[in-house]
Amino acid sequence: MDNKINRNEFLKNLGFRGASLVALYCTSKGLSSCSSDNTVVPASVDLTVDLSTTTALANTGGYTIVSNVVIANTGNGNYVAASITCPHENKNAIKYQGSSFYCPEHGATFSTNGTCTNGITGKALKIYTVTKSGNTLKIT
Ligand code: FES
Protein backbone atom coordinates (compact mmCIF):
# COMPACT_ATOMS: atom_id res chain seq x y z
CA MET A 1 0.00 0.00 0.00
CA ASP A 2 1.26 3.44 -0.89
CA ASN A 3 0.96 5.97 2.00
CA LYS A 4 2.21 8.91 -0.02
CA ILE A 5 -0.05 11.88 -0.77
CA ASN A 6 0.71 14.67 -3.14
CA ARG A 7 1.55 18.19 -1.99
CA ASN A 8 -1.89 19.63 -2.85
CA GLU A 9 -3.70 16.96 -0.85
CA PHE A 10 -1.35 17.53 2.09
CA LEU A 11 -1.94 21.33 2.14
CA LYS A 12 -5.69 20.87 1.69
CA ASN A 13 -5.84 18.48 4.64
CA LEU A 14 -3.66 20.77 6.76
CA GLY A 15 -5.90 23.79 6.06
CA PHE A 16 -9.03 21.90 6.92
CA ARG A 17 -7.58 20.64 10.16
CA GLY A 18 -6.26 24.10 11.09
CA ALA A 19 -9.67 25.70 10.63
CA SER A 20 -11.26 22.85 12.54
CA LEU A 21 -8.88 23.36 15.47
CA VAL A 22 -9.67 27.09 15.66
CA ALA A 23 -13.43 26.39 15.56
CA LEU A 24 -13.07 23.69 18.22
CA TYR A 25 -10.98 26.00 20.45
CA CYS A 26 -13.54 28.85 20.19
CA THR A 27 -16.44 26.48 20.81
CA SER A 28 -14.80 24.88 23.84
CA LYS A 29 -14.19 28.33 25.34
CA GLY A 30 -17.81 29.36 24.80
CA LEU A 31 -16.58 31.95 22.31
CA SER A 32 -15.47 34.22 25.17
CA SER A 33 -11.81 33.65 24.32
CA CYS A 34 -12.51 34.63 20.73
CA SER A 35 -14.22 37.90 21.64
CA SER A 36 -12.43 41.20 21.81
CA ASP A 37 -12.26 41.62 25.58
CA ASN A 38 -11.75 37.97 26.53
CA THR A 39 -13.98 38.50 29.57
CA VAL A 40 -15.74 35.93 31.70
CA VAL A 41 -18.67 37.25 33.73
CA PRO A 42 -18.65 35.76 37.23
CA ALA A 43 -21.88 34.08 38.33
CA SER A 44 -21.63 35.82 41.68
CA VAL A 45 -19.44 38.35 43.45
CA ASP A 46 -18.73 39.27 47.06
CA LEU A 47 -18.53 43.04 47.43
CA THR A 48 -19.25 45.44 50.26
CA VAL A 49 -19.89 49.14 49.63
CA ASP A 50 -19.98 51.76 52.39
CA LEU A 51 -22.63 54.29 51.37
CA SER A 52 -21.36 56.84 53.88
CA THR A 53 -18.12 57.21 51.91
CA THR A 54 -19.32 56.50 48.37
CA THR A 55 -20.52 59.93 47.23
CA ALA A 56 -21.28 58.69 43.68
CA LEU A 57 -24.23 56.75 45.13
CA ALA A 58 -25.60 59.60 47.24
CA ASN A 59 -28.29 60.66 44.74
CA THR A 60 -30.85 58.86 42.61
CA GLY A 61 -29.27 58.02 39.23
CA GLY A 62 -25.75 58.08 40.60
CA TYR A 63 -23.53 55.10 39.95
CA THR A 64 -20.07 53.76 40.60
CA ILE A 65 -17.98 50.85 39.39
CA VAL A 66 -16.32 48.51 41.87
CA SER A 67 -14.41 45.41 40.74
CA ASN A 68 -16.17 45.30 37.35
CA VAL A 69 -19.61 45.69 38.92
CA VAL A 70 -21.76 48.74 38.08
CA ILE A 71 -23.69 49.78 41.19
CA ALA A 72 -26.47 52.34 40.84
CA ASN A 73 -28.83 54.26 43.10
CA THR A 74 -32.35 53.69 41.69
CA GLY A 75 -34.07 55.91 44.24
CA ASN A 76 -36.12 55.47 47.42
CA GLY A 77 -33.20 53.74 49.15
CA ASN A 78 -32.89 51.06 46.46
CA TYR A 79 -29.77 50.01 44.57
CA VAL A 80 -29.01 47.70 41.69
CA ALA A 81 -25.77 46.04 40.60
CA ALA A 82 -24.80 44.66 37.19
CA SER A 83 -21.75 43.24 35.49
CA ILE A 84 -19.72 45.82 33.59
CA THR A 85 -19.51 43.33 30.70
CA CYS A 86 -22.02 43.90 27.91
CA PRO A 87 -23.49 40.59 26.72
CA HIS A 88 -23.55 41.80 23.11
CA GLU A 89 -19.81 41.52 22.41
CA ASN A 90 -18.37 41.10 25.91
CA LYS A 91 -17.02 44.65 26.08
CA ASN A 92 -16.44 46.06 29.55
CA ALA A 93 -18.45 49.18 28.86
CA ILE A 94 -21.76 49.10 30.77
CA LYS A 95 -22.85 52.36 32.37
CA TYR A 96 -25.98 53.55 34.17
CA GLN A 97 -28.07 56.46 32.97
CA GLY A 98 -31.53 57.65 33.94
CA SER A 99 -33.13 54.47 35.17
CA SER A 100 -31.42 51.83 33.04
CA PHE A 101 -28.08 50.36 32.06
CA TYR A 102 -26.63 51.08 28.63
CA CYS A 103 -23.61 50.22 26.53
CA PRO A 104 -22.04 53.02 24.47
CA GLU A 105 -20.33 50.52 22.13
CA HIS A 106 -23.42 49.82 19.98
CA GLY A 107 -26.21 51.38 22.03
CA ALA A 108 -27.68 48.38 23.85
CA THR A 109 -29.96 49.31 26.75
CA PHE A 110 -30.96 47.08 29.66
CA SER A 111 -33.63 47.34 32.33
CA THR A 112 -32.59 47.00 35.95
CA ASN A 113 -33.56 43.32 35.81
CA GLY A 114 -31.03 42.80 32.99
CA THR A 115 -33.42 42.46 30.04
CA CYS A 116 -32.20 44.08 26.81
CA THR A 117 -34.79 46.73 25.97
CA ASN A 118 -33.84 47.74 22.44
CA GLY A 119 -33.14 44.48 20.63
CA ILE A 120 -29.40 44.96 20.13
CA THR A 121 -28.83 41.59 21.77
CA GLY A 122 -31.10 38.81 22.98
CA LYS A 123 -28.75 38.15 25.87
CA ALA A 124 -29.43 39.52 29.34
CA LEU A 125 -27.06 41.67 31.34
CA LYS A 126 -25.87 39.89 34.48
CA ILE A 127 -27.56 41.39 37.55
CA TYR A 128 -26.26 40.71 41.05
CA THR A 129 -28.18 40.61 44.32
CA VAL A 130 -27.95 43.77 46.45
CA THR A 131 -28.74 43.67 50.16
CA LYS A 132 -28.79 46.93 52.13
CA SER A 133 -28.14 47.05 55.85
CA GLY A 134 -27.80 50.53 57.32
CA ASN A 135 -25.17 52.31 55.26
CA THR A 136 -23.73 49.10 53.85
CA LEU A 137 -24.50 47.40 50.55
CA LYS A 138 -23.64 43.74 50.19
CA ILE A 139 -23.45 42.62 46.57
CA THR A 140 -23.40 38.92 45.79
S1 FES B 1 -20.78 45.60 22.99
FE1 FES B 1 -22.39 46.54 24.08
S2 FES B 1 -23.85 47.04 22.58
FE2 FES B 1 -22.31 46.03 21.49
Side-chain angles (χ1 to χ4, degrees), residues 86 88-91 103 105-108 120:
C86 179
H88 180 226
E89 289 186 355
N90 291 331
K91 306 258 185 193
C103 177
E105 290 291 324
H106 309 104
I120 300 279

Side-chain angles (χ1 to χ4, degrees), residues 22 30 53 56 83 85 90-91 105 108 112 115-116 130 133:
V22 170
T53 59
S83 169
T85 305
N90 291 331
K91 306 258 185 193
E105 290 291 324
T112 53
T115 302
C116 184
V130 178
S133 177

Side-chain angles (χ1 to χ4, degrees), residues 35-113:
S35 65
S36 55
D37 276 6
N38 196 21
T39 302
V40 175
V41 176
S44 63
V45 293
D46 186 10
L47 298 175
T48 301
V49 174
D50 183 351
L51 293 172
S52 66
T53 59
T54 309
T55 56
L57 294 175
N59 300 312
T60 300
Y63 79 95
T64 189
I65 298 169
V66 178
S67 300
N68 288 335
V69 175
V70 182
I71 306 157
N73 180 338
T74 59
N76 299 319
N78 296 310
Y79 299 84
V80 65
S83 169
I84 196 171
T85 305
C86 179
H88 180 226
E89 289 186 355
N90 291 331
K91 306 258 185 193
N92 288 340
I94 293 296
K95 303 190 181 323
Y96 187 81
Q97 186 174 52
S99 58
S100 62
F101 293 100
Y102 77 100
C103 177
E105 290 291 324
H106 309 104
T109 56
F110 301 90
S111 67
T112 53
N113 72 8

